């Protein structure tokens, strides 16, 4: 059991976890199947399910980002500039939900 205390985790490990959590959040944002659906299949019947599913995925993403920051692992280049700003602000607002995929091209076509 002493080996468990001497685990040497690589930067690649954290960046892979970051990518996985980003994909998980984006799948939840798009209402696609995630691991959460398998854990709580009864939740699909409840209207608040998709909000809660997104909240869980967002929390996971923030946790991985916090670990990256504590270990001085650069994480922002894995995101679009506005996405990194949303994550840095830590609040999952309607703007995050509505504009996560927004690019300069999509902004020009709005209204």
């Amino acid at each position: 059991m002493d080996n468990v205390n001497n685990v040497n985790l690589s930067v690649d490990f954290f960046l892979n976890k970051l990518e996985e959590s980003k994909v998980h959040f984006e799948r939840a944002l798009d209402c696609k199947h995630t691991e959460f659906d398998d854990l709580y299949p009864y939740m699909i019947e409840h209207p608040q399910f998709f909000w809660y599913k997104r909240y869980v995925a967002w929390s996971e993403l923030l946790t991985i980002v916090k670990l990256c920051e504590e270990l001085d692992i650069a994480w922002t280049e894995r995101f679009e500039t506005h996405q990194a700003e949303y994550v840095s602000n830590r609040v999952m607002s309607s703007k995050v939900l509505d504009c996560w995929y927004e690019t300069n091209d999509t902004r020009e076509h709005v209204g």
Side-chain angles (χ1 to χ4, degrees):
M1 279 294 188
D2 286 333
N3 289 339
V4 173
N5 295 328
N6 295 325
V7 173
N8 186 9
L9 300 175
S10 69
V11 170
D12 286 340
F13 172 82
F14 284 97
L15 293 177
N16 286 337
K17 291 299 176 187
L18 179 66
E19 185 62 29
E20 288 173 11
S21 65
K22 182 181 180 215
V23 168
H24 182 214
F25 174 69
E26 289 176 346
R27 289 187 63 80
L29 194 61
D30 295 339
C31 299
K32 292 182 179 175
H33 185 86
T34 68
E35 188 177 295
F36 188 78
D37 297 287
D38 297 332
L39 294 172
Y40 303 100
Y42 63 90
M43 287 290 291
I44 293 172
E45 301 167 11
H46 300 280
Q48 73 273 24
F49 171 72
F50 291 108
W51 179 89
Y52 189 69
K53 179 177 167 176
R54 290 171 182 159
Y55 171 78
V56 168
W58 181 250
S59 296
E60 177 187 334
L61 180 60
L62 293 181
T63 299
I64 299 297
V65 165
K66 183 177 180 182
L67 288 171
C68 288
E69 288 175 343
E70 290 177 6
L71 296 168
D72 292 323
I73 298 171
W75 62 270
T76 55
E77 61 264 3
R78 302 290 175 131
F79 296 83
E80 298 294 328
T81 304
H82 69 282
Q83 292 172 339
E85 185 178 311
Y86 297 153
V87 173
S88 293
N89 291 337
R90 302 187 59 82
V91 176
M92 187 179 67
S93 65
S94 59
K95 184 174 184 180
V96 172
L97 298 176
D98 292 341
C99 302
W100 182 259
Y101 294 113
E102 189 173 88
T103 64
N104 286 334
D105 292 341
T106 56
R107 282 187 205 135
E108 291 173 8
H109 293 106
V110 174

